């Protein structure tokens, strides 16, 4: 498991001494190559012909049948990946998102005002978890009172190695019963059932929500979505539309609390917030890694990677690479340029929702920071027990209003 206090020194060592490092794992796993330098991460991510996503993007060992059952857009390369991505690409584009800005500002004000009625509150539950899930509910066109279950489903699946969240822990013998489900989580069944009911209601109608587009549009390659394709696409939206932005907002606020000079700078000069968002994303690195699989024998930093080997891009390490970022452990909201790899970089798998995430984070801090004089921790911060998601579970804060 990923240990919060030991991660960064380990990455520093690997970048310096073993930038492509073979990490052995006990059977039945086979180990993986850890790629930790920014330039190498970008090179791997941009080369799907040599480093494919088709063999899965996390560290699990899966047989071919299970991979096919669980395959989503993330585990698809080439023309099919492009066609699946194109189904919703306009919904996450600049033009469409401009139409959301007024809604987002109103939603953000409501979230912030509700939280600031209290002198002390948990920042995660009251602000950073509440906000992006409301946006997702709008895009899915589902009732606001459904957001609690959407959050819970994301927690239970992404937190499959955290006893506070998981129905069945990933490394437990019981999880084998759920090996055909994403994250080996029984919660996936509930997400599938929910999505299928939405699809039943929207099929054949003219709705403009994400579900309507998935069930009523033909992919550009002429291959319609199967039930399994829809299930996995819908589940991906539920997770991606909630988890990463939520954790990025939490880590960003924590960094501002720990660096009050940076908070004051943004309060005095709010025009810096759009630029600061890039530092927020670099600093937070909400997804630690993604895996690829070598399709052929290849050399990288003098290491012989064999066809079939797992190759893991540690985005969190790339975002602290001293060859790219001057003083990378300094939180600097004026940092420019800021060539982070939080969303991937130049890859066919570059995060589809990156513009929405940037907008959500920007509007949140443009709304929140003028309302507060200061914010401080009112207790211990707890993190999701995961080597995949850099997540914050609880962050009690005490606030003094402006």
């Amino acid at each position: 498991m990923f240990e919060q206090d030991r991660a960064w020194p380990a990455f520093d060592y690997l970048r310096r001494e073993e930038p492509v490092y073979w990490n052995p794992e006990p059977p039945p796993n086979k180990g993986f190559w850890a790629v930790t330098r920014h330039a190498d991460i970008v090179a791997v991510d941009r080369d799907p012909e040599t480093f494919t996503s088709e063999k899965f993007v996390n560290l699990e060992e899966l047989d071919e049948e299970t991979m096919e059952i669980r395959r989503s857009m993330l585990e698809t390369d080439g023309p099919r990946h492009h066609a699946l991505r194109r189904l919703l690409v306009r919904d996450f584009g600049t033009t469409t998102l401009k139409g959301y800005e007024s809604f987002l500002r109103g939603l953000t004000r409501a979230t912030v005002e509700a939280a600031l009625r209290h002198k002390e509150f948990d920042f995660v539950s009251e602000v950073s978890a509440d906000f992006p899930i409301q946006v997702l509910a709008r895009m899915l066109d589902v009732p606001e009172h459904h957001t609690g279950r959407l959050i819970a489903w994301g927690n239970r699946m992404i937190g499959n190695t955290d006893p506070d969240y998981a129905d069945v822990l990933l490394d437990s013998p019981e999880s084998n019963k759920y090996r055909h489900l994403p994250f080996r989580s029984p919660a996936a069944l509930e997400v599938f059932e929910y999505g299928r009911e939405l699809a039943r209601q929207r099929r054949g109608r003219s709705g403009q929500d994400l579900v309507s587009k998935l069930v009523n549009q033909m992919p550009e390659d002429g291959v319609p979505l199967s039930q399994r394709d829809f299930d996995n696409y819908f589940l991906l939206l539920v997770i991606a539309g909630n988890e990463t932005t939520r954790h990025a907002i939490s880590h960003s606020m924590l960094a501002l609390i720990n660096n009050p000079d940076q908070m004051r700078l943004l309060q005095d000069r709010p025009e810096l917030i759009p630029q600061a968002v890039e530092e927020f994303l670099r600093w937070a690195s909400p997804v630690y890694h993604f895996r690829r699989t070598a399709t052929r024998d290849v050399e990288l930093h003098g290491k012989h990677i064999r066809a079939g080997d797992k190759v893991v891009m540690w985005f969190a390490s790339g975002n602290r690479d001293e060859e790219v970022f001057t003083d990378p452990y300094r939180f600097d909201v004026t940092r420019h340029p800021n060539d982070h790899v939080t969303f991937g970089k130049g890859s066919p798998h570059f995060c589809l929702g990156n513009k929405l995430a940037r907008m959500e984070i920007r509007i949140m801090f443009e709304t929140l920071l003028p309302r507060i004089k200061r914010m401080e921790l009112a207790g211990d911060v707890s993190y999701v027990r995961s080597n995949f998601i850099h997540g914050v579970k609880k962050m009690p804060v005490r606030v003094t209003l402006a």
Side-chain angles (χ1 to χ4, degrees):
M1 280 302 111
F2 203 90
E3 295 185 41
Q4 186 73 24
D5 57 342
R6 296 173 60 186
W8 307 119
F11 283 145
D12 292 346
Y13 173 83
L14 289 174
R15 284 194 307 273
R16 185 174 63 250
E17 304 293 338
E18 291 274 1
V20 179
Y21 171 74
W22 177 252
N23 187 83
E25 290 189 322
N29 294 334
K30 299 175 183 177
F32 61 85
W33 292 100
V35 178
T36 53
R37 285 186 183 171
H38 184 282
D40 296 329
I41 291 166
V42 172
V44 169
D45 208 17
R46 286 179 171 173
D47 187 3
E49 291 186 1
T50 304
F51 302 102
T52 182
S53 301
E54 297 266 346
K55 297 295 183 181
F56 237 65
V57 297
N58 63 27
L59 292 175
E60 279 187 80
E61 294 284 349
L62 300 176
D63 57 54
E64 292 292 332
E65 178 193 20
T66 304
M67 276 192 281
E68 285 306 311
I69 291 172
R70 289 170 55 176
R71 189 175 305 283
S72 74
M73 182 170 63
L74 291 182
E75 293 86 23
T76 309
D77 285 328
R80 183 58 173 171
H81 173 263
H82 180 75
L84 292 173
R85 188 180 179 93
R86 291 285 297 171
L87 280 171
L88 299 182
V89 70
R90 290 183 180 176
D91 296 87
F92 293 97
T94 302
T95 301
T96 301
L97 292 178
K98 282 182 180 177
Y100 275 95
E101 182 144 358
S102 177
F103 160 74
L104 281 170
R105 289 198 180 278
L107 174 60
T108 311
R109 281 195 300 271
T111 296
V112 168
E113 287 171 5
L116 295 183
R117 293 191 189 109
H118 310 282
K119 184 178 179 180
E120 294 188 11
F121 56 90
D122 175 41
F123 189 86
V124 175
S125 61
E126 298 303 316
V127 177
S128 53
D130 179 73
F131 171 57
I133 205 68
Q134 299 284 353
V135 180
L136 177 65
R138 168 79 173 240
M139 298 183 81
L140 295 174
D141 191 19
V142 299
E144 184 179 337
H145 66 268
H146 288 190
T147 56
R149 73 176 87 169
L150 294 171
I151 292 172
W153 284 331
N155 287 344
R156 289 162 62 195
M157 288 185 291
I158 286 291
N160 64 351
T161 52
D162 190 314
D164 291 340
Y165 285 155
D167 301 300
V168 177
L169 288 170
L170 180 67
D171 58 0
S172 71
E174 186 184 359
S175 78
N176 197 51
K177 294 191 300 186
Y178 304 102
R179 66 188 182 280
H180 289 158
L181 296 175
F183 303 98
R184 295 194 175 212
S185 172
L189 293 172
E190 298 171 38
V191 176
F192 290 163
E193 181 181 1
Y194 183 79
R196 289 170 186 174
E197 177 57 24
L198 293 178
R200 185 191 66 77
Q201 296 170 9
R202 315 280 170 82
R203 188 170 283 111
R205 300 187 178 183
S206 58
Q208 294 302 300
D209 59 277
L210 301 184
V211 174
S212 293
K213 292 186 176 182
L214 288 181
V215 298
N216 293 318
Q217 290 184 161
M218 176 67 73
E220 287 184 355
D221 62 358
V223 181
L225 294 186
S226 66
Q227 182 64 65
R228 184 181 295 162
D229 291 334
F230 173 81
D231 287 344
N232 291 333
Y233 209 139
F234 180 78
L235 184 140
L236 179 60
L237 289 173
V238 168
I239 291 175
N242 171 31
E243 289 289 327
T244 52
T245 305
R246 158 191 175 177
H247 296 312
I249 290 172
S250 298
H251 279 291
S252 301
M253 192 67 243
L254 179 59
L256 290 171
I257 290 171
N258 290 333
N259 297 271
D261 61 316
Q262 299 295 291
M263 186 186 297
R264 286 192 298 272
L265 180 58
L266 293 182
Q267 289 169 325
D268 292 341
R269 298 182 60 195
E271 71 275 9
L272 291 175
I273 291 177
Q275 180 175 323
V277 168
E278 302 308 311
E279 181 71 345
F280 294 165
L281 290 164
R282 181 191 77 88
W283 190 262
S285 296
V287 177
Y288 281 128
H289 72 265
F290 271 121
R291 162 214 170 167
R292 301 290 185 256
T293 302
T295 62
R296 61 182 177 87
D297 288 9
V298 63
E299 294 285 331
L300 190 60
H301 277 296
K303 299 297 176 71
H304 183 67
I305 298 173
R306 293 179 171 82
D309 283 355
K310 290 186 286 190
V311 178
V312 178
M313 304 173 293
W314 286 98
F315 296 140
S317 176
N319 281 342
R320 298 296 192 277
D321 190 336
E322 44 284 292
E323 294 296 317
V324 178
F325 305 101
T326 303
D327 197 1
Y329 290 97
R330 177 170 56 89
F331 178 70
D332 178 7
V333 298
T334 67
R335 186 184 296 276
H336 183 79
N338 200 327
D339 195 25
H340 63 78
V341 291
T342 297
F343 295 124
K345 185 172 171 58
S347 162
H349 288 270
F350 185 72
C351 175
L352 185 62
N354 76 91
K355 291 184 176 68
L356 175 60
R358 285 180 161 107
M359 180 183 285
E360 290 177 339
I361 296 167
R362 171 175 61 81
I363 291 175
M364 171 54 69
F365 286 97
E366 285 175 346
T367 305
L368 175 61
L369 292 182
R371 296 290 310 277
I372 62 175
K373 181 177 180 180
R374 66 175 176 271
M375 187 178 287
E376 58 190 354
L377 293 177
D380 293 334
V381 178
S382 61
Y383 298 91
V384 180
R385 185 177 184 268
S386 173
N387 65 2
F388 178 55
I389 288 291
H390 188 203
V392 180
K393 280 195 290 194
K394 293 185 182 299
M395 192 170 85
V397 297
R398 182 180 303 111
V399 66
T400 303
L401 297 181

